[in-house]
């Protein structure tokens, strides 16, 4: 029996979409993966799986027999916002290589803050020769907000580097060697203890605007902030106010409410802000296609899906 085709539905430009199709075809040599625009009506009617990258919901609606969709991206807030509640189940990308790359970025920027790079850069500009006191990493607490795939991977490398690591999640967790906080009360308690705050939360109705003036008033004086999750989890004006009054010493921001960050954003020129263009953990088409391929192969063999996005929860 011939297998139904798999639809590739994205809002990428045509060359980028074709490149993904080639990676996916290499990972799934027994499947017929067709870009949505190239499918005839019979193929659209037959497709039972879609591989998606923030697709136009109107395109997905033209695939009436989908059983599930596999997203090429780890973040799903746009899918949750745009797809109708009765859309097929969504499996998001969980790629160990993406987690490794994110953990590497968190470690790199945690060391940047830990070794006072922002202060030394300012001193160099002022031609100032001044040695700041050194404290070893185990005397510094890094708080990781979000203990999912990325947060746990980042916590591990931070622990291996010697930092005291504490974490925060929605549900209670026990992770070796670290204090885990959870729920709304847990966050205030954690923020007051952290020298460096690392945000790896998904964007949901509960996390949108979470790091606002009220919570920032509770951070340990002079803490550094790293946001590699989603921009809208922070209230930008409140972060700028916390930087201006010294409650936060420096912010490393990779994600923003509007991307690319608009040229008139005050973040670009702020002396205590590092702006990164959403590069902390780029998706590798090679490893991502292998993950998607393995999930689809498992489904074909036993009909089971990996964990799907909880639309109510938002991640
Ligand atoms: P994940 O596995 O779904 O984990 C999400 C974590 O956040 C979980 O620990 C969850 O708690 C916690 N959480 C969610 N809502 C919460 C709330 N209201 N209060 C407290 N904790 C809450 O996600 P992931 O794979 O680690 O990815 C996290 C995010 O990183 C993605 O959603 C995406 O936006 C972002 N990302 C950024 C880049 C980049 O390049 N900058 C790349 C990839 C992903 P529970 O464990 O209790 O459920």
């Amino acid at each position: 029996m011939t297998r139904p085709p798999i639809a590739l539905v994205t809002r990428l430009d045509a060359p980028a979409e074709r490149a993904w199709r080639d990676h996916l075809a290499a990972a799934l040599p027994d499947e017929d993966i067709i870009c949505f625009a190239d499918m005839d009506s019979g193929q659209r009617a037959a497709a039972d799986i879609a591989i998606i990258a923030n697709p136009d919901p109107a395109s997905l609606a033209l695939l009436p027999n989908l059983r599930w969709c596999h997203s090429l991206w780890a973040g799903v807030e746009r899918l949750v916002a745009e797809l109708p509640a009765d859309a097929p189940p969504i499996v998001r990308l969980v790629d160990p290589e993406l987690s490794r790359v994110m953990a590497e970025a968190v470690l790199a920027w945690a060391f940047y803050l830990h070794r006072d790079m922002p202060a030394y850069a300012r001193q160099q500009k002022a031609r100032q020769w001044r040695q700041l006191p050194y404290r070893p990493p185990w005397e510094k607490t890094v708080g990781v907000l979000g203990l999912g795939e990325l947060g746990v991977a980042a916590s591990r490398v931070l622990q291996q580097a010697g930092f005291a690591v504490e974490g925060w999640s929605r549900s209670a967790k026990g992770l070796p060697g670290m204090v885990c906080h959870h729920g709304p009360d847990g966050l205030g308690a954690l923020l007051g203890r952290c020298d460096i705050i690392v945000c790896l939360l998904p964007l949901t109705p509960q996390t949108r605007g979470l790091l606002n003036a009220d919570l920032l008033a509770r951070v340990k004086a002079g803490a550094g902030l790293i946001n590699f999750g989603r921009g809208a989890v922070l209230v930008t004006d409140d972060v700028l106010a916390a930087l201006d009054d010294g409650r936060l010493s420096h912010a490393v921001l990779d994600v923003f409410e509007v991307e690319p960050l608009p040229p008139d954003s005050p973040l670009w020129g702020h002396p205590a802000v590092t702006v990164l263009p959403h590069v902390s953990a780029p998706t590798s088409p090679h490893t991502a296609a292998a993950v998607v391929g393995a999930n689809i192969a498992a489904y074909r063999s036993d009909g089971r899906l990996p964990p799907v996005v909880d639309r109510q929860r938002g991640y």
Side-chain angles (χ1 to χ4, degrees):
M1 203 177 78
T2 53
R3 282 183 175 159
I6 294 177
L8 177 60
V9 198
T10 79
R11 277 191 270 213
L12 301 169
D13 60 32
E17 188 175 88
R18 270 199 303 278
W20 269 107
R21 191 206 47 206
D22 294 348
H23 281 288
L24 290 161
L28 285 160
D30 298 334
E31 301 282 348
D32 191 13
I33 300 166
I34 313 175
C35 296
F36 175 78
D38 299 333
M39 296 180 100
D40 63 31
S41 57
Q43 291 167 325
R44 289 181 184 181
D48 61 342
I49 301 171
I51 301 173
I52 58 176
N54 287 332
D56 182 345
S59 303
L60 270 195
L62 294 173
L63 301 167
N65 289 310
L66 287 184
R67 294 191 175 266
W68 61 289
C69 300
H70 202 316
S71 176
L72 292 174
W73 308 148
V76 292
E77 72 283 350
R78 191 165 167 193
L79 291 172
V80 170
E82 291 186 351
L83 298 186
D86 62 353
I90 301 162
V91 171
R92 74 188 183 100
L93 182 70
V94 176
D95 179 355
E97 174 59 8
L98 183 95
S99 303
R100 188 197 66 75
V101 174
M102 178 59 90
E104 179 188 87
V106 168
L107 185 64
W109 290 100
F111 270 130
Y112 174 84
L113 297 175
H114 165 59
R115 293 306 303 256
D116 298 314
M117 305 279 222
Y120 286 121
R122 275 194 303 277
Q123 288 185 195
Q124 183 174 348
K125 259 193 181 153
R127 297 173 180 258
Q128 189 181 22
W129 182 275
R130 188 160 75 97
Q131 291 157 349
L132 300 172
Y134 173 78
R135 279 166 60 210
W138 45 91
E139 288 183 12
K140 296 207 180 156
T141 299
V142 182
V144 178
L145 313 188
L147 294 174
E149 299 294 333
L150 304 183
V152 168
S155 299
R156 293 224 171 95
V157 298
L158 289 163
Q159 283 178 309
Q160 282 157 10
F163 290 103
V165 183
E166 302 196 9
W168 182 68
S169 53
R170 195 178 48 86
S171 56
K173 298 214 186 300
L175 293 169
M178 62 189 278
V179 180
C180 296
H181 307 257
H182 70 279
D185 296 341
L187 182 56
L190 173 64
L191 290 179
R193 300 160 56 82
C194 299
D195 299 282
I196 299 172
I197 301 158
V198 176
C199 183
L200 285 170
L201 289 165
L203 182 61
T204 71
Q206 284 70 43
T207 63
R208 182 178 288 279
L210 179 79
L211 286 184
N212 59 14
D214 284 351
L215 271 171
L216 291 167
R218 303 177 69 176
V219 303
K220 184 169 170 179
L225 173 66
I226 297 173
N227 186 19
F228 289 171
R230 281 293 180 263
V233 173
L234 312 184
V235 178
T236 302
D237 286 347
D238 294 355
V239 169
L240 285 167
L243 289 163
D244 287 339
D245 71 16
R247 263 170 302 145
L248 288 176
S249 55
H250 196 88
V252 180
L253 307 176
D254 183 50
V255 285
F256 303 90
E257 197 157 3
V258 178
E259 295 184 10
L261 184 64
D264 62 352
S265 168
L267 293 169
W268 282 113
H270 196 287
V273 175
T274 298
V275 171
L276 300 171
H278 203 136
V279 287
S280 51
T283 302
S284 151
H286 187 70
T287 59
V291 168
V292 173
N295 286 338
I296 289 176
Y299 171 76
R300 291 288 194 222
S301 87
D302 62 16
R304 275 188 302 147
L305 290 186
V308 300
V309 172
D310 181 331
R311 297 288 300 269
Q312 281 300 108
R313 218 174 51 168
Y315 66 100

